[in-house]
């Protein structure tokens, strides 16, 4: 048996890997329990939570302490990047002045697995005093937090992956998952698009993948274009000097009527090729993209069509050309 085979053999799985598999299995059980709850009694309060968060004229204030606080910070960041203004307020800091950051136009999302987190007391009381909508993510529906909240997302009990049942593991996975569910439901309810997403992610590889075709295309004198009546002897010169491996053919009104590729040249190769017109050689109704299309979508079209370049068209007229190398260099791949 080879070394690789021994590594993949069940009897040879290391102690650490077995522990990891148990952890994943237990956390998967927690997510399965959460899914089952959403298919039953949790669906109604979840919808109420989505509507309350959507109706907030201000921001969503997320709060929690310990591991729930760390999860809350991620949830707040996900909200903020998907069209729901939000930020995290630490409950201890809230008691020392940060309550002033919360207004009646906001909505509060409080996380506490037990629902008895003492540090949340002042935020809870503040929300009741100023009638700020309070949504709880907890496993304790009858807890102090659960009793005060306007909407309770009561998560099902599940076994922690920690063998001592102490370190929050499965529970925090479930909290994170329900937070993602809220963020995506709000995104969809608000009609938040990929174009909107780009506004909040201008940097890094994610920002690159959210560029528009117009950001990357070649335009102006770089376009390889020829009229339908042009002789191939002239058209091939244009096609060669532009170096895109294709030539756009336009009609008398300047609209793209066809394309000539290296493949078209090979198919029509013969002694009469140079004396023919571009209209006789071109492939009609070529694939095109709009300048407002996202670079990732353009890359998918180019890849699935097995082509290397595509014309960018606006109102039927070619305004640019995009090569697959442009997309790869920009990080859209």
């Amino acid at each position: 048996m080879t070394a690789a085979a021994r590594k993949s053999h069940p009897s040879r799985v290391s102690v650490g890997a077995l522990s990891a598999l148990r952890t994943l299995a237990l956390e998967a059980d927690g997510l399965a329990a959460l899914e089952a709850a959403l298919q039953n009694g949790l669906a109604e309060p979840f919808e109420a939570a989505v509507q309350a968060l959507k109706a907030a004229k201000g921001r969503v204030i997320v709060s929690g302490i310990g591991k729930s606080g760390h999860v809350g910070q991620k949830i707040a960041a996900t909200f903020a990047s998907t069209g729901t203004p939000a930020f995290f307020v630490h409950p201890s800091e809230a008691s020392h002045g940060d309550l002033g950051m919360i207004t009646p136009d906001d909505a509060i999302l409080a996380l506490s697995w037990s629902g008895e987190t003492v540090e949340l007391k002042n935020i809870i009381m503040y929300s009741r005093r100023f009638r700020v909508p309070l949504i709880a993510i907890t496993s304790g529906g009858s807890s102090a937090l659960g009793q005060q909240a306007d909407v309770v997302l009561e998560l099902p009990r599940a076994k922690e992956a920690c063998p001592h049942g102490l370190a929050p593991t499965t529970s925090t996975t479930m909290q994170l998952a329900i937070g993602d569910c809220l963020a995506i439901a709000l995104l969809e309810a608000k009609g938040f698009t990929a174009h909107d997403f780009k506004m909040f992610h201008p940097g890094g590889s994610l920002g690159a993948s959210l560029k528009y075709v117009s950001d990357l295309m070649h335009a102006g004198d770089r376009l390889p274009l020829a009229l339908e009546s042009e002789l191939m002897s002239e058209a091939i010169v244009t096609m060669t000097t532009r170096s895109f491996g294709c030539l756009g053919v336009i009609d008398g009104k300047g609209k793209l009527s066809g394309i000539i590729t290296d493949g078209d040249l090979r198919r029509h190769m013969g002694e009469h090729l140079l004396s023919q017109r571009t209209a006789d050689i071109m492939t009609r109704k070529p694939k095109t993209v709009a300048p407002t299309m996202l670079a990732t979508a353009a890359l998918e079209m180019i890849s699935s069509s097995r082509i290397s370049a595509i014309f960018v068209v606006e109102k039927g007229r070619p305004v640019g050309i995009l090569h697959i190398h442009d997309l790869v260099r920009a990080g859209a791949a």
Side-chain angles (χ1 to χ4, degrees):
M1 184 182 292
T2 65
R6 284 196 297 272
K7 287 181 180 179
S8 63
H9 196 276
S11 63
R12 301 282 183 171
V13 176
S14 67
V15 173
L18 285 172
S19 174
L21 289 169
R22 284 194 299 269
T23 296
L24 289 173
L26 287 169
E27 295 197 351
D29 288 343
L31 292 177
L34 179 57
E35 181 181 10
L38 278 166
Q39 292 173 342
N40 293 291
L42 188 57
E44 186 175 344
F46 181 84
E47 180 61 27
V50 170
Q51 294 306 319
L53 295 174
K54 182 183 177 184
K57 296 179 180 178
R59 290 79 44 86
V60 174
I61 312 300
V62 185
S63 191
I65 202 162
K67 303 301 185 293
S68 293
H70 293 308
V71 172
Q73 292 180 57
K74 190 274 178 187
I75 292 174
T78 302
F79 280 157
S81 69
T82 53
T84 299
F87 63 86
F88 179 82
V89 172
H90 194 285
S92 295
E93 296 297 333
S95 300
H96 294 276
D98 282 1
L99 283 174
M101 301 169 73
I102 307 173
T103 75
D105 287 334
D106 299 332
I108 298 173
L109 181 66
L111 287 80
S112 170
W113 186 253
S114 67
E116 300 293 349
T117 303
V118 175
E119 290 84 353
L120 284 173
K121 177 183 176 182
N122 288 329
I123 284 184
I124 294 172
M125 299 309 295
Y126 184 89
S127 73
R128 301 303 80 188
R129 179 182 178 186
F130 293 100
R131 298 182 180 179
V132 182
L134 176 62
I135 300 163
I137 295 179
T138 179
S139 67
S142 59
S143 64
L145 174 61
Q147 290 180 11
Q148 293 295 325
D150 298 297
V151 180
V152 179
L153 298 179
E154 185 173 359
L155 304 185
R157 295 279 181 173
K159 185 177 180 180
E160 299 284 12
C162 169
H164 308 299
L166 300 174
T169 45
T170 306
S171 56
T172 49
T173 298
M174 295 167 68
Q175 287 178 320
L176 188 60
I178 198 69
D180 285 343
C181 290
L182 287 170
I184 300 304
L186 283 166
L187 177 155
E188 294 173 343
K190 293 180 177 182
F192 191 79
T193 67
H195 290 178
D196 299 321
F197 198 79
K198 181 181 183 296
M199 294 173 56
F200 302 121
H201 298 80
S205 60
L206 183 56
S209 69
L210 291 173
K211 286 183 178 294
Y212 299 125
V213 164
S214 59
D215 296 327
L216 304 175
M217 70 183 188
H218 302 270
D221 294 338
R222 289 287 292 137
L223 287 179
L225 297 174
L227 289 168
E228 291 179 339
S229 57
E230 192 168 324
L231 290 174
M232 285 301 300
S233 57
E234 300 171 353
I236 286 179
V237 174
T238 302
M239 183 174 174
T240 303
T241 55
R242 297 297 188 270
S243 303
F244 287 103
C246 65
L247 179 75
V249 182
I250 55 176
D251 61 21
K253 296 181 179 179
K255 293 189 175 182
L256 188 70
S257 56
I259 188 172
I260 297 175
T261 66
D262 291 334
D264 293 317
L265 293 181
R266 287 192 295 271
R267 283 189 291 274
H268 290 84
M269 189 63 68
E271 59 179 326
H272 301 298
L273 173 63
L274 298 181
S275 62
Q276 290 184 281
R277 305 288 180 180
T278 56
D280 301 324
I281 304 298
M282 70 181 187
T283 297
R284 297 184 180 276
K285 297 182 179 180
K287 293 182 181 297
T288 62
V289 295
T292 53
M293 178 181 283
L294 285 174
T296 47
L299 177 62
E300 182 181 355
M301 179 180 289
I302 288 177
S303 300
S304 61
S305 301
R306 297 183 179 180
I307 56 179
S308 59
I310 194 166
F311 277 95
V312 185
V313 172
E314 192 170 35
K315 295 182 179 179
R317 299 174 182 272
V319 295
I321 188 170
L322 190 64
H323 197 279
I324 191 171
H325 292 165
D326 303 319
L327 296 163
V328 172
R329 280 195 296 267

